[in-house]
Amino acid sequence: MTKIAFIGAGSTVFAKNVLGDCMLTPALQEAEYALFDIDRERLDDSRLMLETINRNAAGGRARVRAYGDRREALAGARFVINAVQVGGYRPSTVIDFEIPKKYGLRQTIGDTLGIGGIFRALRTIPVMMDFARDIESVCPDALFLNYSNPMAILTGAMQRYSNVRTVGLCHSVQVCVPHLFADLGMDSEGVRAKIAGINHMAWLLEVERDGEDLYPEIKRRAAQRPAPHDDMVRYEIMRRFGCYVTESSEHSAEYNPWFIKSGHPELIDRFNIPLDEYPRRCEEQIEKWAKMRNDLIEDEQLSHERSEEYASRIMEAVETDRPFSIGGNVINTGLIPNLPTDACVEIPCLVDRNGVTPCYVGPLPTQLAALNMTNINVQLLTIEAAMTRSRDRIYQAAMLDPHTAAELTIDQIVSMCDDLIEAHGDWLPAFR
């Protein structure tokens, strides 16, 4: 029996999408679904929900089990899915937003880069290394599917500092072309696209249909799109640098130095930037959870339709040897020659019984590689900070973050990092 372990299974909605998909996949319907989370109540919620889906949508053929011990959950697993958020929304994410705000540094999402991304990574990498040690011990051949942010930092740490077969998975590549074409009123049927770069800053390098380059029409329509709208930052980046970027404008606004500037508050309205967007979403989800829980846990008729998530399709390709193509986050072994070899890049990959095989991309256009490097610098230094327990590396990562460097002095950055380390307390024991 194939065993699929889900770490962070208390993420009930996400567990429904990923494991519900697996239950609708013939090659995975008789698997054991091993659930683990440190929040026992949420873990039991997910177990009850998945048992209902298994019964209603999958004929009850799967085995769903919640574990109180992580190693037991992992033991013998063929696939491991990771969706943890170390420190949670409260207190950690609130700290990541509120302390920088005291220094005049504003964020939108704060989970991938910037100060929020750096400190989320510092909390999470030690936990991921614990996962790696367990996997190496009790399921050494497992394929680790990482969904947790900051994607490139966490996935890169696993790939460089463990022997665990790891791929990072994100939605942004999948939805890039459909979103862009829907926003511009264009038909995406039959479109062929080439996307590569780094997570949340991968580039739509080519987009064509039947040999016709669609970029001229995309740029013409984008220039005529009435403002305000939700994609103004990405359209500006495309106008200035030539290619559309995969991740949303609210994310992209804080990965660059030009859009959120205390000295130019008019930019927030001009580019329609939603400051403090992630805390706002979290508060709304908390308020709605009681009803969501009732819909997911207490509905005896609950069913599921297969989503567009990659996870079940990856597992299906490995189990059946029917190849499937994904956009995956992998270590850069010369796949994009003008990015560092120790960077984690997001590129096309082929999945079959051998696992995930990355595809050679070639050099990125110089300006796009340069933009990626501004983010890779932070990613690599954050990994070094976590692995060497160096405060100096934390300071350096923050100093090189494009948005932070554009707003604060060196002394302010160091002081802010010290305040964050102190506020996170036991979540960052290595730096106290």
Side-chain angles (χ1 to χ4, degrees), residues 109 230-231 234 245-253 255 281:
I109 306 295
D230 292 336
D231 221 11
R234 282 202 282 185
V245 67
T246 49
E247 190 47 70
S248 63
S249 282
E250 62 263 27
H251 274 281
S252 295
Y255 302 158
R281 291 179 189 176

Side-chain angles (χ1 to χ4, degrees), residues 9 20 42 66 68 79 81 105 112 128 138 166 186 209 220 240 284 304 318 336 361 368-369 398 428:
R42 292 294 294 265
F79 304 99
I81 301 163
L105 187 66
T112 297
M128 299 275 279
V138 302
T166 301
M186 298 175 67
R209 180 168 42 220
R220 185 188 71 81
R240 301 292 187 176
E284 290 175 356
H304 182 71
V318 172
I336 301 179
V361 172
L368 304 183
L428 292 176

Side-chain angles (χ1 to χ4, degrees), residues 13-25:
V13 175
F14 189 61
K16 177 180 186 294
N17 287 340
V18 171
L19 297 185
D21 287 354
C22 294
M23 290 177 177
L24 296 180
T25 303

Side-chain angles (χ1 to χ4, degrees), residues 42-156:
R42 292 294 294 265
L43 177 63
D44 287 337
D45 284 347
S46 293
R47 176 183 58 79
L48 291 169
M49 174 201 65
L50 289 165
E51 286 174 346
T52 302
I53 293 174
N54 182 39
R55 184 172 59 250
N56 293 341
R61 292 190 287 277
R63 178 186 177 190
V64 180
R65 182 177 175 187
Y67 286 82
D69 182 276
R70 188 176 68 215
R71 284 174 67 90
E72 289 183 10
L74 290 169
R78 185 164 170 80
F79 304 99
V80 179
I81 301 163
N82 177 55
V84 300
Q85 183 182 352
V86 177
Y89 170 60
R90 292 187 183 278
S92 292
T93 298
V94 172
I95 291 171
D96 287 343
F97 272 78
E98 292 305 313
I99 287 181
K101 198 181 296 184
K102 292 178 182 179
Y103 286 83
L105 187 66
R106 304 296 300 274
Q107 300 171 89
T108 55
I109 306 295
D111 72 348
T112 297
L113 206 74
I115 290 301
I118 291 169
F119 277 83
R120 180 181 285 221
L122 293 173
R123 295 191 301 272
T124 309
I125 288 174
V127 176
M128 299 275 279
M129 292 298 105
D130 286 344
F131 294 172
R133 285 187 286 270
D134 285 350
I135 292 168
E136 290 165 352
S137 175
V138 302
C139 54
D141 297 325
L143 178 60
F144 187 81
L145 310 180
N146 179 49
Y147 275 100
S148 290
N149 280 324
M151 175 60 62
I153 300 176
L154 300 184
T155 304

Side-chain angles (χ1 to χ4, degrees), residues 243-287:
C243 284
Y244 190 67
V245 67
T246 49
E247 190 47 70
S248 63
S249 282
E250 62 263 27
H251 274 281
S252 295
E254 64 183 6
Y255 302 158
N256 297 285
W258 312 298
F259 300 105
I260 305 173
K261 300 183 77 67
S262 57
H264 294 276
E266 74 280 1
L267 294 173
I268 302 304
D269 290 332
R270 177 182 167 189
F271 289 105
N272 197 25
I273 297 169
L275 296 173
D276 296 324
E277 176 66 10
Y278 186 65
R280 185 163 45 250
R281 291 179 189 176
C282 290
E283 295 289 351
E284 290 175 356
Q285 289 174 356
I286 291 168
E287 290 179 8

Side-chain angles (χ1 to χ4, degrees), residues 127-432:
V127 176
M128 299 275 279
M129 292 298 105
D130 286 344
F131 294 172
R133 285 187 286 270
D134 285 350
I135 292 168
E136 290 165 352
S137 175
V138 302
C139 54
D141 297 325
L143 178 60
F144 187 81
L145 310 180
N146 179 49
Y147 275 100
S148 290
N149 280 324
M151 175 60 62
I153 300 176
L154 300 184
T155 304
M158 287 288 285
Q159 290 161 342
R160 290 171 56 194
Y161 292 98
S162 82
N163 295 315
V164 177
R165 294 193 303 155
T166 301
V167 63
L169 303 174
C170 180
H171 313 86
S172 58
V173 171
Q174 291 156 276
V175 303
C176 175
V177 169
H179 171 88
L180 174 62
F181 277 57
D183 193 57
L184 296 178
M186 298 175 67
D187 179 14
S188 62
E189 185 70 27
V191 168
R192 187 193 70 81
K194 179 180 179 181
I195 296 175
I198 61 173
N199 179 244
H200 283 193
M201 195 187 272
W203 306 101
L204 182 59
L205 298 171
E206 300 173 7
V207 55
E208 57 91 10
R209 180 168 42 220
D210 298 328
E212 178 189 1
D213 181 7
L214 299 178
Y215 250 132
E217 180 63 11
I218 289 170
K219 292 177 180 179
R220 185 188 71 81
R221 294 193 184 206
Q224 295 177 351
R225 181 85 157 80
H229 58 81
D230 292 336
D231 221 11
M232 298 182 72
V233 170
R234 282 202 282 185
Y235 286 2
E236 181 71 1
I237 291 171
M238 178 171 63
R239 182 167 79 94
R240 301 292 187 176
F241 289 88
C243 284
Y244 190 67
V245 67
T246 49
E247 190 47 70
S248 63
S249 282
E250 62 263 27
H251 274 281
S252 295
E254 64 183 6
Y255 302 158
N256 297 285
W258 312 298
F259 300 105
I260 305 173
K261 300 183 77 67
S262 57
H264 294 276
E266 74 280 1
L267 294 173
I268 302 304
D269 290 332
R270 177 182 167 189
F271 289 105
N272 197 25
I273 297 169
L275 296 173
D276 296 324
E277 176 66 10
Y278 186 65
R280 185 163 45 250
R281 291 179 189 176
C282 290
E283 295 289 351
E284 290 175 356
Q285 289 174 356
I286 291 168
E287 290 179 8
K288 294 176 180 176
W289 172 243
K291 181 181 184 305
M292 290 173 63
R293 184 184 185 281
N294 182 69
D295 292 342
L296 291 172
I297 310 306
E298 299 182 16
D299 181 3
E300 291 295 325
Q301 305 306 312
L302 182 69
S303 190
H304 182 71
E305 294 183 4
R306 198 174 186 187
S307 75
E308 294 301 315
E309 294 288 355
Y310 278 146
S312 68
R313 290 165 171 82
I314 291 171
M315 294 182 233
E316 181 180 33
V318 172
E319 292 287 274
T320 65
D321 201 29
R322 291 195 294 268
F324 183 73
S325 178
I326 67 168
N329 289 269
V330 297
I331 206 73
N332 183 33
T333 54
L335 304 163
I336 301 179
N338 55 345
L339 295 182
T341 55
D342 52 359
C344 180
V345 292
E346 192 166 64
I347 61 172
C349 300
L350 183 68
V351 188
D352 58 17
R353 71 169 61 177
N354 298 310
V356 178
T357 302
C359 301
Y360 179 78
V361 172
L364 296 178
T366 302
Q367 76 279 11
L368 304 183
L371 278 172
N372 282 165
M373 279 304 307
T374 67
N375 284 220
I376 290 171
N377 293 331
V378 181
Q379 294 164 0
L380 297 182
L381 281 164
T382 302
I383 292 172
E384 283 195 26
M387 299 307 298
T388 64
R389 302 182 178 186
S390 166
R391 274 204 188 214
D392 283 343
R393 291 291 183 267
I394 298 176
Y395 301 151
Q396 291 159 5
M399 290 173 194
L400 288 172
D401 176 68
H403 174 41
T404 304
E407 289 286 274
L408 304 183
T409 68
I410 288 178
D411 288 341
Q412 287 175 319
I413 292 170
V414 170
S415 177
M416 178 180 62
C417 289
D418 287 341
D419 288 352
L420 282 161
I421 292 167
E422 181 65 27
H424 280 299
D426 291 342
W427 292 110
L428 292 176
F431 300 100
R432 300 200 70 201

